[in-house]
Amino acid sequence: MARNVYGLDLGTYEIKVFDKKRDRIWREKNVIAMKDKKYIFSVGDEAYDMYEKAPENIQVVFPMKNGVIAHFDDMQYLLGNLLGTDRQFVRGAEYVIAVPTDVTEVEKKAFYDLVFHSEAKAKSVRIVERGLADAIGFGIDIMNEKGVFIANFGGGTTELSVLSSGGMVLNRLVKIGGEHFDTAIGNLVRHNKDFLIGRMTSERLRREFGVFDQDTGSALTVSGRDLISGVPSQTDVQISLVRAAMKEPLEECVRAIRSMIDRTPPDVRRAIEAEGIYLTGGIANLRGLSTYLEESIGLPVMTVPDPELCAVKGLQKIILDKTYYRRLTYSMLDEDYRWLR
């Protein structure tokens, strides 16, 4: 029986997996629910459904933080559990993992160890830079492109990548993502209205209103707790309040993009100015984000189709294409990483 190959895109809030044998992509929330801080109660989508609804003795934990593994044992258990439904193929399989470029080699090694030393008994684990997987995922021939700028807006981070001729020219991981937008919205609602809302409600406001719209009079009725009376209640949250909350984290992303463009070599920069900036990641679907960035930066900005699946689709193409696989993936067992063993 031929060994299977899996492509793993481990996001802060969601895991995407490409299964070569079944030729399909599936996704699951990157969450664990712990009972009494020591027993695993549930994992994945089932655990995420308990977020902000669980009783006091059940804690909902996100094993990833700012794009890297924060709770190694929890993450290993979660991954083993999610792949466990296909255990007969998982043992001895090969894995290709998309990782951020702008993290330490030790943090990259954690992604490698996560799978290599798990119950899966992996035959091999190879790493690919997420920016490269993103570009391949939405159909760019990166080997022949002179300049590509990708902004991956994720749940916990925004990863900026400049690519040219099949390689990474510049990369930066900005610690701003969907959770920071949601926290900012919740904090401003609390400050302005003395009203406490949960993160899921903040996310609903973000998705409903977006970041760029001529309509400034809209409002949405949300449930929460009145901090003056202390009782559950409802209040109207105006679109202007949500936009004001998101302004600062968005401006930080704009500054980071401008800084990256300023540092880009002239030939590569000319190609980027002609082609524009590509948005990937789950938050790229945020209504009006591309328009806001285009007006702020002065370059064309395009949201790619299915941006949240871009990296895992890139892994799919890399796994199925021998040239991509050979040139773009590497193992932490290679000679360059001997000091990490």
Side-chain angles (χ1 to χ4, degrees):
M1 182 184 295
R3 298 184 191 275
N4 201 0
V5 185
Y6 291 91
L8 303 179
D9 178 24
L10 306 178
T12 304
Y13 289 100
E14 196 170 52
I15 296 173
K16 292 99 172 175
V17 181
F18 167 64
D19 182 333
K20 181 182 177 183
K21 190 175 286 287
R22 297 185 177 180
D23 192 27
R24 70 183 182 102
I25 290 171
W26 52 270
R27 55 208 284 199
E28 190 92 11
K29 291 295 183 183
N30 197 349
V31 190
I32 282 182
M34 305 268 307
K35 186 175 182 180
D36 300 324
K37 296 186 177 180
K38 52 185 175 180
Y39 304 111
I40 304 293
F41 188 79
S42 61
V43 300
D45 292 346
E46 187 180 327
Y48 189 75
D49 287 340
M50 302 178 69
Y51 186 52
E52 294 187 339
K53 304 172 194 151
E56 286 187 11
N57 67 326
I58 295 179
Q59 181 184 16
V60 178
V61 178
F62 295 87
M64 298 276 287
K65 182 74 174 173
N66 292 330
V68 297
I69 301 167
H71 304 282
F72 187 87
D73 291 342
D74 290 343
M75 188 69 213
Q76 197 165 56
Y77 178 89
L78 171 62
L79 193 60
N81 189 281
L82 296 182
L83 293 173
T85 55
D86 194 22
R87 181 64 67 193
Q88 68 271 29
F89 297 132
V90 172
R91 294 182 70 86
E94 299 175 20
Y95 294 83
V96 181
I97 310 174
V99 302
T101 307
D102 188 24
V103 296
T104 68
E105 300 297 344
V106 173
E107 287 168 333
K108 286 184 186 178
K109 183 69 159 51
F111 283 97
Y112 179 90
D113 289 341
L114 177 74
V115 176
F116 195 76
H117 297 297
S118 70
E119 295 178 6
K121 306 293 185 190
K123 180 191 176 190
S124 71
V125 178
R126 298 186 70 81
I127 301 293
V128 63
E129 317 292 359
R130 183 176 284 123
L132 296 171
D134 264 335
I136 293 170
F138 63 86
I140 282 186
D141 179 9
I142 62 169
M143 299 301 181
N144 297 311
E145 283 288 341
K146 297 301 181 187
V148 181
F149 193 116
I150 296 173
N152 184 315
F153 282 80
T157 59
T158 296
E159 186 171 1
L160 308 177
S161 304
V162 173
L163 315 174
S164 178
S165 303
M168 189 75 66
V169 179
L170 293 170
N171 185 274
R172 182 180 173 189
L173 196 66
V174 184
K175 293 180 180 178
I176 297 287
E179 67 174 301
H180 301 88
F181 296 139
D182 299 340
T183 299
I185 292 168
N187 288 343
L188 199 57
V189 170
R190 179 173 183 166
H191 178 76
N192 278 30
K193 292 181 168 286
D194 290 317
F195 195 82
L196 184 66
I197 59 174
R199 201 184 136 232
M200 301 295 280
T201 304
S202 296
E203 182 179 339
R204 180 182 162 217
L205 287 166
R206 166 171 59 82
R207 291 180 183 277
E208 186 73 23
F209 288 144
V211 298
F212 190 92
D213 200 322
Q214 298 305 318
D215 181 12
T216 57
S218 300
L220 197 66
T221 302
V222 298
S223 300
R225 182 158 55 89
D226 189 310
L227 294 174
I228 296 175
S229 65
V231 299
S233 181
Q234 290 187 325
T235 191
D236 290 337
V237 177
Q238 288 73 30
I239 189 172
S240 56
L241 194 65
V242 175
R243 298 280 165 76
M246 297 178 66
K247 184 178 180 182
E248 187 174 333
L250 279 170
E251 284 180 345
E252 186 169 340
C253 292
V254 168
R255 285 193 295 270
I257 292 171
R258 283 176 175 161
S259 173
M260 181 85 82
I261 292 170
D262 289 342
R263 292 164 47 213
T264 301
D267 288 347
V268 179
R269 179 172 175 168
R270 276 194 292 273
I272 291 170
E273 288 171 347
E275 295 295 326
I277 295 170
Y278 297 95
L279 301 187
T280 67
I283 306 302
N285 280 318
L286 189 60
R287 194 169 72 242
L289 179 60
S290 59
T291 306
Y292 174 86
L293 293 175
E294 190 166 300
E295 295 208 351
S296 301
I297 297 165
L299 291 178
V301 178
M302 294 140 287
T303 303
V304 305
D306 300 321
E308 70 281 5
L309 296 177
C310 210
V312 74
K313 285 183 176 179
L315 290 174
Q316 178 181 12
K317 292 179 181 179
I318 289 168
I319 288 169
L320 297 176
D321 187 304
K322 291 181 179 179
T323 302
Y324 279 156
Y325 187 86
R326 186 179 68 255
R327 293 182 61 176
L328 302 180
T329 71
Y330 60 91
S331 169
M332 300 300 276
L333 294 180
D334 291 346
E335 200 66 22
D336 291 344
Y337 298 96
R338 184 170 54 183
W339 63 278
L340 279 171
R341 295 174 202 166

